[in-house]
């Protein structure tokens, strides 16, 4: 599937070959590398508070400045990037898994049950995603990385379900599918062996754009005060601190983390757009 993911960049669009979105790929690769090397580039505890250097602008001692609690912004940006990227990847994986299984099940079950499942997915899709996330997070209790992955992934799978159902309905009467079912092939065998390779490229756009959406939603939940706890550093906690910085003129607390987050989200959207099929 990795090879299929890469070759999806090369599909012709309007008769011309498409090139991979190199700027987005390079930026995301560089950002991931910097976050992985956070312990080398910004050693120590990213949440350490040094009240001797409170609200310091960028300088030699602190390249990106410090916040109102004396925490180094560079350390928070790199270490927090690990957390936010992990949440984005985990939530996108959960969303793709739930949406693929649900859509495949809806396409293979009897017509009355298929309509019932689709109406349930459409009902969830009609509700605001942030509201669903808040309700689910409240039900799960205090937030951590794994509950946020589950909350965000568990509230963003409905679009993938619709795509997978359409693809599977076009395949379920093929001879090799009927042969596999007649020979005792179960649901998960058909899903992973026959259906997933067929709809992989169709859901690649939704899955990749879901990474950026999950990062943005994590930042929103943290900004609202229902995301990760204060001691956990993430891009969302940086944005939460920017509310106070806006009132005190600490531009580096707003501009630098905000620019990195916006560029990250735009890069994921550009990467997702390159995975669209020509017909989409």
């Amino acid at each position: 599937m990795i090879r299929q993911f890469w070759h999806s960049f090369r599909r012709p669009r309007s008769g011309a070959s498409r090139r991979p979105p190199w700027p987005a790929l390079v930026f995301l690769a560089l950002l991931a590398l910097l976050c992985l090397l956070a312990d080398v580039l910004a050693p120590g505890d990213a949440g350490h508070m040094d009240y001797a250097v409170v609200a310091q602008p960028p300088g030699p001692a602190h390249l990106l400045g410090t916040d109102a609690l004396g925490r180094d912004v560079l350390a928070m940006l790199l270490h927090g990037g690990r957390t936010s990227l992990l949440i984005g990847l985990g939530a996108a994986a959960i969303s793709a898994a739930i949406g693929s299984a649900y859509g495949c099940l809806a396409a293979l079950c009897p017509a009355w049950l298929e309509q019932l499942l689709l109406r349930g997915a459409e009902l969830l899709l009609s509700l605001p995603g942030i509201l669903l996330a808040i309700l689910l997070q409240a039900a799960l209790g205090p937030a951590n990385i794994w509950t946020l992955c589950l909350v965000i992934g568990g509230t963003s799978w409905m679009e993938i379900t619709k795509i997978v159902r359409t693809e599977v309905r076009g395949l379920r009467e093929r001879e090799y599918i009927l042969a596999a079912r007649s020979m005792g092939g179960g649901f998960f065998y058909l899903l992973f062996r026959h259906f997933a390779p067929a709809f992989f490229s169709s859901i690649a756009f939704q899955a990749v754009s879901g990474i950026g959406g999950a990062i943005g939603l994590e930042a929103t939940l943290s900004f609202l005060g229902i995301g990760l706890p204060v001691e956990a550093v993430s891009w969302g906690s940086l944005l939460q601190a920017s509310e106070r910085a806006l009132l005190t003129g600490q531009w580096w607390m707003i501009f630098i983390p905000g620019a990195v987050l916006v560029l990250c989200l735009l890069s994921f959207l550009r990467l997702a757009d390159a995975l669209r099929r020509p017909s989409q």
Side-chain angles (χ1 to χ4, degrees):
M1 286 190 179
I2 295 177
R3 181 180 299 178
Q4 187 178 359
F5 180 87
W6 176 253
H7 283 307
S8 61
F9 289 122
R10 310 297 298 178
R11 285 197 193 91
R13 178 185 285 177
S14 300
S17 62
R18 286 190 290 175
R19 295 181 178 179
W22 290 116
L25 288 171
V26 170
F27 176 80
L28 291 174
L30 180 60
L31 182 62
L33 179 62
L34 291 175
C35 291
L36 289 174
L37 297 177
D39 293 327
V40 178
L41 299 174
D45 182 10
H48 174 68
M49 303 177 188
D50 186 356
Y51 293 105
V53 291
V54 168
Q56 293 292 315
H62 301 278
L63 295 179
L64 298 183
T66 61
D67 68 354
L69 298 177
R71 297 176 295 183
D72 186 79
V73 175
L74 176 61
M76 294 178 67
L77 191 62
L78 296 181
H79 288 273
R82 287 181 178 180
T83 302
S84 294
L85 289 174
L86 179 60
I87 291 174
L89 292 170
I94 292 174
S95 174
I98 296 176
S100 298
Y102 195 97
C104 187
L105 178 63
L108 295 177
C109 65
W112 66 269
L113 183 55
E114 176 186 11
Q115 293 302 314
L116 182 62
L117 293 174
L118 289 178
R119 297 295 84 77
E122 290 174 357
L123 176 63
L124 293 176
L125 188 60
S126 66
L127 299 175
I130 184 66
L131 177 61
L132 287 176
I134 292 174
L135 292 176
L136 186 55
Q137 184 60 67
L140 293 176
N144 56 52
I145 293 177
W146 308 115
T147 59
L148 281 177
C149 289
L150 184 60
V151 165
I152 298 172
T155 56
S156 58
W157 50 268
M158 288 74 78
E159 287 289 349
I160 293 179
T161 287
K162 295 168 63 178
I163 297 173
V164 171
R165 170 186 170 267
T166 301
E167 293 284 343
V168 173
R169 280 178 61 88
L171 295 172
R172 63 184 182 180
E173 300 300 329
R174 297 285 181 90
E175 292 182 357
Y176 66 93
I177 298 295
L178 296 176
R181 298 182 70 175
S182 66
M183 295 174 64
F187 173 77
F188 289 103
Y189 173 81
L190 294 173
L191 175 60
F192 290 109
R193 182 66 178 85
H194 295 294
F195 293 134
F199 62 66
F200 176 80
S201 58
S202 298
I203 68 171
F205 167 77
Q206 292 290 343
V208 174
S209 61
I211 299 174
I215 294 174
L217 184 54
E218 182 272 325
T220 302
L221 292 175
S222 294
F223 183 79
L224 294 174
I226 55 176
L228 294 174
V230 177
E231 62 273 12
V233 178
S234 71
W235 288 344
S237 62
L238 275 172
L239 292 181
Q240 187 179 18
S242 67
E243 182 180 7
R244 182 184 301 175
L246 183 64
L247 300 176
T248 57
Q250 300 171 24
W251 60 267
W252 58 92
M253 281 295 299
I254 304 171
F255 177 75
I256 298 175
V260 172
L261 180 59
V262 169
L263 287 175
C264 181
L265 298 182
L266 289 177
S267 296
F268 275 118
L269 288 176
R270 178 67 187 91
L271 180 61
D273 183 66
L275 293 168
R276 285 180 181 268
R277 285 188 170 183
S279 59
Q280 290 181 314

